[in-house]
Amino acid sequence: MSLILEGLTFGLVLAFSLGPIFIALTQTSLEKGLGPGLTVGLGIWVSDFLIVVLIYKFVDSIKSTIEHPTFNFWMGMSGALILILFGVILIFKKPELTYQHIKFKRSDYLGFWLKGFLINTINPFTFVFWMGVISSYVIGRGTGLHDMSILLSTIIAVIIISDTMKVFLANFLKNWMTTQHINVISNLSGVLLIGFGLFLGYRVL
């Protein structure tokens, strides 16, 4: 029970974080609709799962790699450039409010999925968070596989539920928003993503 409560705590911390992932979820749902928003979420969840498996399987060797200055620099700069790129696209690409009439192609959904996957994967906070949780519990406490699975499953479950709620809430609110409202939100999201990217680039220099 204690591991479940700790997992809920970790998950809620991520759920209330207003970062690039939150922006990607809500902006896509507002502009494109429910399906694309959930597809972005799916990309985020797959990314989290792969990172958790990678770090858990190779926690000792991965720890030295992640802490290496060269890895931190290139990971940080790559993440900064991608966030800035997404931000510029949001600012200059005018939102479309005819999403209820649009039939997205498979390639479109692949793009939505890739958007969520990339934003989560290149976000250094994702690695820092999962590295901290797994290393502290595996190395620090000597937690077994069964207990560790309970903890990690709880965290990921909270992330999936909270992200889904964000997408549904944004999709619900769009019914009361005009093109101007969405455009302002899109521009603001773009500025925030550029800000996150510049801050990330500054931190790794």
Side-chain angles (χ1 to χ4, degrees):
M1 180 59 71
S2 61
L3 287 172
I4 294 178
L5 291 176
E6 290 182 59
L8 288 172
T9 302
F10 282 124
L12 289 174
V13 168
L14 290 179
F16 288 100
S17 298
L18 300 179
I21 295 171
F22 175 82
I23 293 173
L25 282 170
T26 55
Q27 182 272 332
T28 303
S29 184
L30 279 171
E31 183 179 337
K32 301 297 183 182
L34 186 61
L38 290 174
T39 305
V40 171
L42 181 60
I44 294 170
W45 308 330
V46 171
S47 171
D48 272 328
F49 178 78
L50 292 177
I51 291 171
V52 166
V53 172
L54 180 67
I55 293 178
Y56 185 82
K57 291 290 186 180
F58 308 101
V59 65
D60 291 324
S61 59
I62 291 295
K63 183 178 181 181
S64 61
T65 301
I66 290 178
E67 291 176 347
H68 195 278
T70 303
F71 178 88
N72 286 332
F73 175 79
W74 288 112
M75 188 69 186
M77 291 304 297
S78 299
L81 290 174
I82 292 177
L83 289 179
I84 291 172
L85 177 61
F86 274 122
V88 172
I89 291 173
L90 285 182
I91 290 175
F92 288 98
K93 184 180 179 182
K94 298 302 180 181
E96 301 173 356
L97 292 185
T98 55
Y99 33 69
Q100 62 266 36
H101 302 300
I102 294 177
K103 291 185 177 181
F104 294 106
K105 298 178 293 184
R106 290 184 180 180
S107 58
D108 294 325
Y109 280 99
L110 177 60
F112 296 136
W113 181 88
L114 193 60
K115 176 181 180 179
F117 184 84
L118 284 177
I119 284 184
N120 191 66
T121 303
I122 54 84
N123 185 3
F125 177 74
T126 302
F127 278 91
V128 172
F129 173 81
W130 289 117
M131 188 70 201
V133 171
I134 294 175
S135 61
S136 62
Y137 277 81
V138 174
I139 298 175
R141 296 190 184 183
T143 304
L145 177 60
H146 179 264
D147 289 343
M148 194 65 190
S149 298
I150 293 176
L151 175 69
L152 297 178
S153 297
T154 303
I155 297 175
I156 292 178
V158 173
I159 292 173
I160 292 175
I161 293 171
S162 64
D163 286 350
T164 302
M165 291 175 64
K166 292 171 189 175
V167 170
F168 272 93
L169 179 61
N171 189 67
F172 175 76
L173 291 176
K174 75 174 187 286
N175 295 321
W176 285 272
M177 293 185 175
T178 64
T179 302
Q180 184 178 2
H181 293 146
I182 302 295
N183 195 39
V184 170
I185 293 174
S186 184
N187 289 338
L188 179 60
S189 299
V191 171
L192 288 175
L193 282 182
I194 292 174
F196 283 124
L198 292 175
F199 178 73
L200 176 57
Y202 171 77
R203 289 291 300 272
V204 300
L205 288 177

